[in-house]
Amino acid sequence: DLVEALALPLLIRMICELLGVPAEDHAGFRAWTAGLMVEAAHDTAVLERALASWQNLQGYLLELVEARRSAPADDLLSAMTLENDAGDALTDDEIATVSVGLLVGGFETTAHMIGKSLLWLFQHPNHLAALRADLGLVPTAVEELLRHIPLAGGVSLPFIASEDVELPGASARSEAGEYVMPALA
């Protein structure tokens, strides 16, 4: 509920404002992005919807790039378009593709990390209470939550073993100083 009600709308708004997408078009951006987020599927209808979402998003962004060319604003699309027109940067198609990457990469994953982080804090009320008591801890807490919580299911960040470890019942051993990457799944 938190991801749907807060994180996703907040992030889509932030990315759209960064790019310079008018507020009335934010909902379309969210729908197109959701349409792109499909697992590897063999269902032709799902793949066709994802392709249609890509084409709609790419087409919209190309129109917006053209609009920014004639009426630049204080946004990322305008900046990329003006650099492009100076002859030393990206094509219009590349600008649209970079924008889609920013939207997809900064939207879905970040929204779910917000949800996972808050879930972790709710499961560890002593840490939540410490944050509420001292908001100066928030930057460190964010860093630790990003380090501790896997971005994708079953994947972790690499850690350095602080001591020799042998896993019971397995032939796995890590020596102090070695990098390890736990399979959290």
Side-chain angles (χ1 to χ4, degrees):
D1 291 343
L2 177 85
V3 169
E4 284 298 319
L6 173 68
L8 287 172
L10 173 67
L11 292 167
I12 196 73
R13 180 176 180 180
M14 289 175 57
I15 294 168
C16 283
E17 286 182 10
L18 175 70
L19 290 172
V21 174
E24 61 269 14
D25 295 340
H26 291 190
F29 256 67
R30 184 170 180 189
W32 292 328
T33 303
L36 289 173
M37 303 306 250
V38 296
E39 296 292 325
H42 300 288
D43 184 340
T44 304
V46 170
L47 295 174
E48 286 174 358
R49 282 192 303 272
L51 179 60
S53 290
W54 171 266
Q55 291 169 333
N56 288 331
L57 193 51
Q58 189 84 355
Y60 175 86
L61 286 163
L62 286 170
E63 289 176 14
L64 199 54
V65 165
E66 193 55 42
R68 291 297 185 266
R69 181 169 281 116
S70 58
D74 185 22
D75 58 47
L76 185 57
L77 276 179
S78 294
M80 287 190 291
T81 301
L82 294 175
E83 282 294 316
N84 180 25
D85 291 348
D88 191 35
L90 305 171
T91 67
D92 287 1
D93 283 334
E94 290 169 334
I95 291 170
T97 300
V98 165
S99 299
V100 170
L102 176 66
L103 181 66
V104 171
F107 172 58
E108 198 75 25
T109 53
T110 307
H112 290 290
M113 275 306 289
I114 290 171
K116 288 177 180 182
S117 296
L118 287 170
L119 176 63
W120 190 91
L121 287 169
F122 292 142
Q123 292 172 336
H124 298 85
N126 57 328
H127 292 290
L128 182 57
L131 281 176
R132 286 180 171 157
D134 182 1
L135 295 179
L137 296 174
V138 169
T140 302
V142 169
E143 290 293 325
E144 286 301 307
L145 288 165
L146 289 172
R147 183 185 66 78
H148 178 72
I149 298 170
L151 183 59
V155 179
S156 175
L157 296 173
F159 292 87
I160 298 174
S162 59
E163 59 187 58
D164 292 351
V165 177
E166 189 162 340
L167 297 176
S171 59
R173 178 174 170 79
S174 294
E175 294 183 18
E178 284 185 327
Y179 283 91
V180 295
M181 185 175 284
L184 300 177

